Amino acid sequence: MNYFFYILVNNIVPISIMIAIGAAMYRAFQIDIKTLSKLNFYVFSPALVFVKLYESEMNLHVLMQILLFFVLFFSLLFALIEVYIRLKKMHRGMRIAMRNSVIFYNSANYALPLNQTVFGGNAYTLSIQIVIMIMQTLIPNTYGIYTLNAHKSTWKATLRTILSLPVIYAIPVALLLRYFHLPVPQSIDIPLNYISNAFMATALLTLGVQLGGMKWEFHFSHVLVSNILRLAAGPLLGFLVVWILGIEGLTAKALILSCAVPTSLSSVLLAIEYENEPEFSSQAVFTSTLFSMFTIPVVIYLLGFM
């Protein structure tokens, strides 16, 4: 019960307030959603990835274990959603949106504070979540963009679009600086931290602006299935994968918890940027965030038996 109220007060309520502010701003000023989307893609997201990766501490063995877990978990989740969308014979745009709403999950501004709450500020579990966050940032900015552009441009043009994203370069630069123990100049470090700290606010305001401009033709069945696959099937697959790989202890618990969070704002940003089912994507993020108030405490309770 304590987890329930903590998540409600410290995660759901603050997120809802930010979304509501964004919706109100749209209603009052008709804010340009495309501009906000570009700020997230080209400024705030790459700064966040760079700062978190540069500051993380992780040995190679644990890193490889986490990456193996992520690859297997992501593959199983992808296969599961693929079965559903094929059975439903969805059109191309909805297939992509539905897939993104399940395989892209909120590993940053929801999972990071949740990790620190559940594990009492443990630096080791935080490092695990940071690795998952980096993978969940990289994939939408590569695979996610490719799927949305493949049908309307050549693979070379799509590749140019992907290579134009700063996050692609933020990752190797952060790794190299960290590996060689090179300090970031203070004149660069200060603005990077300011920008990365702004990611959460701008992403949630962007979602609010999108929700404020929607007609709310609710995609009930698709949104419900998306939520079930994200919030229920996700952690169940997490339990399965740690069992298959023989991962135990804090590592296993942190990995399972990372699978239980709601749909990522990345799915909304992609939908807005490339005009692909933005209403469904926004509804999937909003409802999964609300429903996670009930599903996350269940997952945390089950972790106590490991």
Side-chain angles (χ1 to χ4, degrees):
M1 187 61 69
N2 288 336
Y3 282 127
F4 174 86
F5 286 112
Y6 185 92
I7 292 169
L8 174 64
V9 173
N10 293 282
N11 288 98
I12 304 300
V13 171
I15 287 172
S16 299
I17 289 173
M18 294 297 294
I19 292 172
I21 291 172
M25 290 292 287
Y26 177 83
R27 293 293 186 182
F29 305 111
Q30 299 294 301
I31 293 174
D32 181 17
I33 187 69
K34 299 286 282 186
T35 299
L36 285 173
S37 175
K38 281 181 167 44
L39 281 171
N40 279 288
F41 267 109
Y42 293 97
V43 181
F44 298 111
S45 180
L48 177 73
V49 170
F50 178 89
V51 170
K52 295 300 182 183
L53 182 56
Y54 181 75
E55 294 177 349
S56 68
E57 295 183 5
M58 178 80 59
N59 65 54
L60 183 60
H61 171 72
V62 175
L63 177 60
M64 296 308 295
Q65 197 174 43
I66 296 169
L67 292 177
L68 179 59
F69 168 88
F70 182 82
V71 169
L72 183 54
F73 169 75
F74 189 87
S75 300
L76 291 173
L77 190 62
F78 189 96
L80 183 63
I81 183 60
E82 200 66 21
V83 169
Y84 174 77
I85 62 179
R86 296 294 177 183
L87 288 175
K88 287 294 184 179
K89 298 180 180 178
M90 297 178 179
H91 63 81
R92 186 181 184 281
M94 182 55 76
R95 285 205 311 269
I96 294 172
M98 174 64 80
R99 191 185 295 126
N100 290 353
S101 73
V102 177
I103 63 175
F104 300 154
Y105 43 96
N106 198 335
S107 58
N109 52 37
Y110 192 111
L112 287 175
L114 179 66
N115 178 286
Q116 291 297 273
T117 301
V118 173
F119 299 111
N122 188 293
Y124 174 73
T125 60
L126 179 61
S127 296
I128 292 173
Q129 184 56 51
I130 287 172
V131 174
I132 299 296
M133 181 198 75
I134 290 166
M135 296 303 296
Q136 273 290 322
T137 302
L138 182 62
I139 292 177
N141 285 286
T142 52
Y143 165 79
I145 291 176
Y146 171 77
T147 57
L148 287 166
N149 284 276
H151 71 293
K152 55 186 178 184
S153 62
T154 65
W155 69 269
K156 289 184 178 180
T158 302
L159 182 61
R160 281 196 299 271
T161 300
I162 293 172
L163 292 177
S164 70
L165 297 169
V167 72
I168 302 299
Y169 309 101
I171 293 172
V173 171
L175 287 172
L176 287 172
L177 291 176
R178 183 171 169 271
Y179 179 79
F180 290 107
H181 305 288
L182 298 173
V184 178
Q186 189 174 18
S187 58
I188 297 176
D189 185 57
I190 291 173
L192 274 176
N193 278 280
Y194 285 157
I195 294 170
S196 67
N197 290 337
F199 170 81
M200 181 174 175
T202 53
L204 290 172
L205 287 171
T206 300
L207 174 58
V209 170
Q210 172 60 28
L211 291 172
M214 286 195 325
K215 298 176 182 177
W216 283 99
E217 297 174 357
F218 203 69
H219 304 263
F220 179 77
S221 61
H222 291 334
V223 170
L224 182 62
V225 170
S226 169
N227 289 173
I228 291 172
L229 291 174
R230 175 83 299 280
L231 299 174
L236 287 174
L237 286 178
F239 275 104
L240 175 64
V241 175
V242 298
W243 177 74
I244 292 173
L245 298 178
I247 302 173
E248 299 177 342
L250 273 180
T251 305
K253 292 180 179 182
L255 289 172
I256 293 169
L257 187 63
S258 75
C259 304
V261 294
T263 301
S264 171
L265 290 167
S266 297
S267 62
V268 176
L269 298 178
L270 284 169
I272 294 168
E273 182 70 14
Y274 298 100
E275 300 177 352
N276 185 76
E277 302 292 344
E279 292 194 4
F280 162 79
S281 299
S282 300
Q283 291 164 15
V285 171
F286 186 70
T287 55
S288 66
T289 301
L290 290 178
F291 291 149
S292 70
M293 178 179 65
F294 304 99
T295 59
I296 292 287
V298 174
V299 173
I300 294 170
Y301 174 76
L302 293 176
L303 290 178
F305 292 93
M306 296 184 64

